[in-house]
Amino acid sequence: MNKTGIVVLISGGGTNLQALIDAERSGRLPAGQIVGVISSSPAAYGLERAKLAGIPSAVVDRRAVGTQEAFEARLLSLIECFGGELIVLAGFMSILSGDFTARYPERIINVHPSLIPSFCGKGYYGLKVHEAALAYGVKVTGATVHFVNEVTDGGRILLQKAVCVEEGDTPQILQQRVMREAEWIILPQAVQMVANEIMLQKENG
Ligand code: GAR
């Protein structure tokens, strides 16, 4: 069996990366293998998670690199070096250009902490998404895993899971609940689905 090489792109805490590591370890990601982690920030705790799991990692600091072109060229060469066939954006806070996403059609997956099309697109990331959901007063939110194309948060939806908003929620409390009850569950499931698809395509030539 020729497993699909998965490269995970992160920027922060890396709890979604951890969910993928745990899924692979416990046999819930049989079609894939995490072959590398790339962080856009040198301070990301997710780098420590990769190290603890024995996964090779690298940092591509957007600001240090300078231009978007140079940033993406570095990402591409690292993804190739790692043997990445499937790219997972797990709390990756940089937007990728249409040139980049066109190189990997239906091969880049993102997890977003709301039920798309609510609270998504440019400017909606991390805690801001939950702040906006609470400000609007929605009673149900959730998470979405989708393919990445040239439209921010606009690619085909793979999986969604709803989560209830509760009385007294702060953005931080809601973020934790959405992660625990939705993101950490549906991200590994979606990654397994797509990794399996890629593996079958490889087997059938
Ligand atoms: C997660 O909630 C993820 O959905 C979100 O950032 C957090 C990263 O946490 N991503 C976005 O908002 C992307 N638009 P993590 O580093 O602990 O996985």
Side-chain angles (χ1 to χ4, degrees):
M1 193 171 67
N2 193 359
K3 290 192 182 201
T4 298
I6 300 164
V7 172
V8 185
L9 272 55
I10 61 166
S11 299
T15 64
N16 280 289
L17 165 65
Q18 190 66 54
L20 291 169
I21 292 170
D22 294 347
E24 188 182 337
R25 279 204 183 131
S26 61
R28 284 175 291 123
L29 193 45
Q33 182 185 351
I34 306 170
V35 292
V37 170
I38 304 174
S39 173
S40 64
S41 156
Y45 182 71
L47 288 167
E48 192 62 28
R49 297 180 190 275
K51 194 172 159 194
L52 288 170
I55 301 166
S57 65
V59 175
V60 187
D61 189 335
R62 170 72 182 79
R63 266 170 296 183
V65 168
T67 64
Q68 183 72 14
E69 288 75 17
F71 176 65
E72 293 187 353
R74 187 85 190 104
L75 289 179
L76 286 171
S77 83
L78 280 167
I79 289 163
E80 240 171 69
C81 267
F82 285 137
E85 300 165 288
L86 176 60
I87 301 164
V88 179
L89 311 185
F92 186 65
M93 298 305 178
S94 290
I95 288 182
L96 297 168
S97 72
D99 281 349
F100 186 101
T101 59
R103 282 172 177 264
Y104 289 96
E106 305 222 316
R107 292 290 180 270
I108 311 177
I109 290 175
N110 180 48
V111 59
H112 183 78
S114 74
L115 293 174
I116 290 175
S118 289
F119 314 117
C120 65
K122 232 176 160 212
Y124 286 101
Y125 57 87
L127 264 188
K128 288 182 193 289
V129 178
H130 304 291
E131 283 163 8
L134 290 176
Y136 199 95
V138 292
K139 300 297 176 204
V140 177
T141 183
T144 303
V145 180
H146 62 93
F147 281 127
V148 175
N149 63 12
E150 71 286 356
V151 181
T152 306
D153 296 327
R156 181 157 70 83
I157 290 173
L158 288 157
L159 290 175
Q160 289 188 304
K161 194 165 189 292
V163 174
C164 287
V165 178
E166 288 173 16
E167 200 65 38
D169 270 353
T170 63
Q172 288 81 1
I173 290 172
L174 185 56
Q175 179 181 52
Q176 283 304 312
R177 188 180 312 115
V178 168
M179 283 176 159
R180 200 175 54 242
E181 294 184 8
E183 296 186 47
W184 301 339
I185 297 167
I186 62 173
L187 182 62
Q189 288 175 346
V191 170
Q192 164 58 19
M193 274 165 47
V194 180
N196 192 51
E197 199 60 42
I198 296 172
M199 201 178 70
L200 292 177
Q201 280 175 13
K202 288 193 290 185
E203 277 173 11
N204 299 328

